Amino acid sequence: MSRGMPIAVRVGAIDTVADDIKRFTLERPDGGALPLFSPGSHITVEIPVKGQVRRNPYSLMGGLDSERTYQISVLRVANSRGGSHHMHDAVAVGDVLHISEPANLFQQDSLARRHVLIAGGIGITPFLPMIERFSATFAPFELHYAVRSRGRAAYAQDLAGKLDGRLALYIDDEGGALNLPGILSGQPLGTHLYVCGPEGMIQAVQAAARAAGWEDEYVHSERFAAPPVGASFELKLARSAKTVTVAAGETILEAAERSGAEPLYLCRGGACGQCETAVIAHEGAIEHNDHYLTDEEKATNRKIMICVSRLVGRSLTIDI
Amino acid sequence: MTIKSRPLYADLKIDGTAKRHIIIVDSAGAASVLLLLSSAGPDVTRNVSLIHAGAAPGVPGSTDLAGLDCDIFVATPGTASALFHLDALLAKATMGTRIYVCGTEGLIGQTVALVQRHGVKPMSVRQQHCGSLKRRVQCVHCKGITEDVTARVAPCAHCGVPLFVRDHFSRRLGAFMGVSADAEEPGLLPPVEEAFP
């Protein structure tokens, strides 16, 4: 494992903050201190589903200077592998969960002259502590928040009260839509752009930024891919000389962990690159679901991000 | 003798993805910028702000740069006034603007130092070195800056300490580091030779 010992936390509160979105407040059962985190950080939460363990990444919110509690927001995802359903339906106040230490793959540039934040749906979560930090340090920023419906607009009322004119809310089913060229034009030199939301939105923002002449170094994004469900296949771990079956709703990383191997990982969402693994042989087609490898690397099929990618076929041999 | 902070330079190219270009050049770089912009054509030059540091009648390039038909052209007598104009342009510049510097290392270093105060990353600045290798040196003892240093060992223009000029470069100051050359044995100096002609 690459994220230290799991931390046991008790669920102190569960609040419904929008349609299909619940906020979980987590604290140490002994009332002790949790590691401090920087805005943009996430944790992974161990979720038992059908005898397997999911480790889903969630952005940390609120309480930057509090060592007592963490908060995460969980969207119930339809047709998923069951992690978010378990969090919504089975987890109750008082339950003990195991989480990883925080890690930050979505850091802000402290030398920026201005920060432009673009959130889509549940992608609002990493921005809540960022806004707290920017407000405390008088850093200029603006938030553009796009949601499917008013009912899905978690934290929007709160934010509207705090941010005043710095918040623009776009409600899709009321006809609201992001005007990316408009948002990007006229931003002062030294502005940094941050986007968190669905894959299509991130790509649209990146394309709009390039079209407006922004260099990639000023555009930051975060999206954790939910590992897709697929058919089961045989996984051979060459170094540890083990063979396991990757179940339909399981990832290669989870299957390897179940066999006793301890591959490196960090985000478990195809973003960070930590779990990059060499492919030794594959009978079947590799389905690359990550945002880390380049298209060229994916085409060679010599590397795989085992947290989200899988095989359509019979057997995969990897260097673990 | 490579040191990580020692800047590396390449020939300038206009970045076609940018909407606006700010170019600062001294007389050593004038010929290169002249070539760059005259081949780029009016679609580019109408979006260029060009600042010439050290323009004067008879100085090579002065008339030609002025005749390039850039959207904004500023001729200044020297580096300090050129940087003052650059600062003003940067304060009003928007994202999508690319910054280019062409000339001696003193101009390059000070330009990179200035743009960082506007939130621009050093790697975003397109840099081409032209002309003399003379260096801008900060004395680590008195903190004074000595311009146009051509020898590996040269006296600080402020405190007089003989300085050994290192390759260690400060992006914040836009200057190389100079340290006392005879600290071990006062008076015992390595031979003075032209290292940065």
Side-chain angles (χ1 to χ4, degrees):
Chain A
M1 214 180 296
S2 47
R3 293 190 66 163
M5 291 297 289
I7 303 168
V9 289
R10 202 183 69 92
V11 178
I14 302 175
D15 304 288
T16 299
V17 292
D19 297 351
D20 294 328
I21 301 175
K22 284 185 176 177
R23 179 180 62 202
F24 294 78
T25 303
L26 311 172
E27 59 206 15
R28 288 269 297 261
D30 60 5
L34 290 160
L36 287 171
F37 67 95
S38 54
S41 296
H42 71 277
I43 53 171
T44 58
V45 180
E46 293 183 12
I47 309 169
V49 179
K50 293 180 203 150
Q52 300 165 9
V53 178
R54 306 266 181 267
R55 288 186 179 83
N56 288 5
Y58 295 107
S59 293
L60 283 174
M61 318 184 313
L64 275 181
D65 300 317
S66 156
E67 298 178 326
R68 298 292 157 206
T69 60
Y70 284 166
Q71 288 187 325
I72 56 172
S73 297
V74 180
L75 169 70
R76 178 200 289 273
V77 182
N79 309 320
S80 74
R81 306 183 313 134
S84 66
H85 287 247
H86 182 90
M87 290 294 288
H88 269 254
D89 303 335
V91 173
V93 171
D95 286 1
V96 171
L97 298 172
H98 290 88
I99 63 172
S100 69
E101 285 188 16
N104 196 339
L105 303 172
F106 199 28
Q107 292 183 37
Q108 304 87 66
D109 192 304
S110 58
L111 299 175
R113 277 211 304 188
R114 182 175 184 80
H115 306 272
V116 174
L117 316 176
I118 303 181
I122 192 69
I124 189 68
T125 52
F127 293 133
L128 298 175
M130 286 189 202
I131 287 166
E132 210 181 306
R133 173 65 51 82
F134 294 152
S135 300
T137 56
F138 303 101
F141 71 94
E142 62 190 65
L143 170 65
H144 299 269
Y145 182 16
V147 290
R148 203 177 291 172
S149 64
R150 200 165 282 274
R152 274 288 187 87
Y155 311 112
Q157 266 188 322
D158 240 24
L159 289 168
K162 272 189 215 162
L163 302 189
D164 225 2
R166 289 174 296 178
L167 170 70
L169 185 63
Y170 309 85
I171 300 170
D172 186 42
D173 69 2
E174 294 176 17
L178 287 167
N179 168 14
L180 292 174
I183 292 169
L184 295 172
S185 87
Q187 293 291 354
L189 197 65
T191 300
H192 282 248
L193 178 64
Y194 307 82
V195 54
C196 185
E199 182 65 20
M201 177 190 190
I202 291 178
Q203 285 178 5
V205 169
Q206 288 170 336
R210 280 192 200 117
W214 293 48
E215 289 181 287
D216 290 348
E217 287 76 17
Y218 299 79
V219 181
H220 314 264
S221 65
E222 181 164 83
R223 160 160 163 71
F224 296 127
V229 178
S232 66
F233 57 93
E234 184 185 70
L235 176 68
K236 292 181 186 163
L237 305 175
R239 231 185 296 170
S240 34
K242 282 178 182 155
T243 301
V244 285
T245 301
V246 179
E250 199 177 25
T251 65
I252 298 172
L253 176 57
E254 288 164 353
E257 287 171 338
R258 188 161 50 78
S259 82
E262 294 187 348
L264 290 177
Y265 70 86
L266 197 60
C267 78
R268 302 183 83 99
C272 75
Q274 192 68 223
C275 72
E276 178 183 307
T277 303
V279 174
I280 294 171
H282 55 104
E283 285 177 56
I286 295 177
E287 214 177 60
H288 293 284
N289 297 314
D290 61 278
H291 316 287
Y292 180 77
L293 295 175
T294 63
D295 289 345
E296 291 77 24
E297 286 173 319
K298 287 176 182 174
T300 68
N301 279 333
R302 291 165 68 175
K303 295 172 182 172
I304 186 168
M305 310 311 295
I306 57 176
C307 63
V308 290
S309 299
R310 55 191 305 124
L311 185 84
V312 183
R314 215 175 72 78
S315 171
L316 174 71
T317 310
I318 55 176
D319 185 24
I320 281 178
Chain B
M1 204 187 61
T2 49
I3 192 162
K4 204 178 164 193
S5 64
R6 177 77 181 91
L8 299 169
Y9 306 108
D11 283 358
L12 290 188
K13 285 193 196 79
I14 292 292
D15 183 347
T17 66
K19 300 290 163 198
R20 185 86 202 167
H21 314 275
I22 298 176
I23 304 173
I24 183 166
V25 58
D26 62 16
S27 293
S32 295
V33 168
L34 194 60
L35 191 67
L36 180 78
L37 288 181
S38 49
S39 61
D43 281 351
V44 169
T45 50
R46 77 164 65 96
N47 290 309
V48 169
S49 302
L50 177 61
I51 305 171
H52 184 191
V59 170
S62 292
T63 322
D64 298 328
L65 288 176
L68 274 173
D69 213 20
C70 291
D71 181 41
I72 294 175
F73 176 72
V74 187
T76 66
T79 304
S81 51
L83 292 169
F84 181 84
H85 281 279
L86 177 64
D87 198 24
L89 285 178
L90 293 174
K92 286 192 289 185
T94 54
M95 287 301 282
T97 304
R98 222 62 89 231
I99 297 142
Y100 308 74
V101 56
C102 188
T104 45
E105 274 196 294
L107 178 75
I108 296 175
Q110 289 177 88
T111 298
V112 173
L114 174 60
V115 300
Q116 288 178 88
R117 297 203 286 276
H118 292 269
V120 177
K121 292 171 180 289
M123 62 182 294
S124 293
V125 183
R126 276 56 172 171
Q127 307 164 33
Q128 178 177 348
H129 177 254
C130 294
S132 168
L133 293 167
K134 64 191 180 187
R135 292 183 170 188
R136 194 173 131 80
V137 176
Q138 192 206 34
C139 170
V140 302
H141 311 288
C142 81
K143 309 302 176 192
I145 299 273
T146 304
E147 300 280 355
D148 302 336
V149 175
T150 57
R152 183 60 80 176
V153 178
C156 172
H158 304 265
C159 67
V161 164
L163 296 175
F164 179 79
V165 179
R166 299 194 47 182
D167 283 345
H168 192 139
F169 184 79
S170 164
R171 285 187 308 211
R172 182 176 61 84
L173 301 166
F176 288 88
M177 177 199 267
V179 298
S180 171
D182 63 350
E184 299 281 327
E185 278 186 64
L188 185 68
L189 287 170
V192 175
E193 52 192 47
E194 286 278 286
F196 324 115

